[in-house]
Amino acid sequence: RNDLKKANLKKSFWTKKKIIQDIFKSKDYKKKLILIAPHAFSDAPHGEGTLVFRDYYAHFKETLDYIHKKKLTNAFWLIKPHPSRKDYGELGMIEKMMDNYKSDYLKLCPKNFSAINSTEICDNVITGRGTMGLEFACFGKKPIFAGSATYSGLSFAKEINSKKKYFQQIIQLLKVKKLNNSDILLAL
């Protein structure tokens, strides 16, 4: 309930084209726009399911390291920090971490970029096990999890059981198609 109160649920004005132009300083509108939605780092990572990383911090850092090291420039990677990070004493942590990843293809989202807006314009989402995955599936966009979620076992999410498979899925994410109508209905 607290996370929901803190989430920016207002419809914002960002379009995919505007994000690519203003944030990534590009005109390559055909590239996928992938949202990385990390959990609050101090949240319990191994309750109600599994996570293939030690914790949420490791998941986020290793994901950024992988994208940066492999120079995955065939997509734009947009980071949206967890809305309750202030409550956990984590305000500014992601922003500081991003200083280590100076690139044209890996950026923080604008502060006024809402969760609703992200589901409308981003092509896919990567999350540990969060509800952003379910929200994206409702919009026909297959999420990638680094483990299992409370709504696991359904066909609309790509669930991972090892780090090796997780990193393979990040590369394959660029080829992932939209969900079919029955998967969207199931997510809804």
Side-chain angles (χ1 to χ4, degrees), residues 47-124:
E48 295 184 32
T50 61
L51 185 70
V52 298
F53 292 86
R54 182 190 68 233
D55 54 38
Y56 291 129
Y57 176 85
H59 168 244
F60 181 62
K61 182 167 183 343
E62 290 179 43
T63 299
L64 293 185
D65 288 346
Y66 184 81
I67 291 167
H68 196 255
K69 179 182 171 191
K70 293 287 188 180
K71 296 187 183 348
L72 298 181
T73 61
N74 49 353
F76 292 117
W77 306 88
L78 192 61
I79 309 337
K80 181 162 181 46
H82 194 276
S84 292
R85 66 194 182 282
K86 182 179 180 182
D87 295 343
Y88 295 107
E90 299 172 4
L91 198 59
M93 283 180 71
I94 288 179
E95 292 82 353
K96 188 172 183 176
M97 287 175 72
M98 290 299 294
D99 289 341
N100 298 319
Y101 304 97
K102 300 286 186 206
S103 77
D104 295 331
Y105 56 92
L106 188 60
K107 303 281 185 181
L108 276 168
C109 69
K111 291 186 188 313
N112 64 347
F113 186 62
S114 71
I116 290 170
N117 203 177
S118 70
T119 58
E120 294 172 334
I121 69 168
C122 293
D123 296 294
N124 298 93

Side-chain angles (χ1 to χ4, degrees), residues 153-165:
L154 305 172
S155 59
F156 61 77
K158 191 65 180 175
E159 298 167 34
I160 310 298
N161 59 12
S162 74
K163 280 188 191 183
K164 182 179 178 182
K165 288 180 183 177

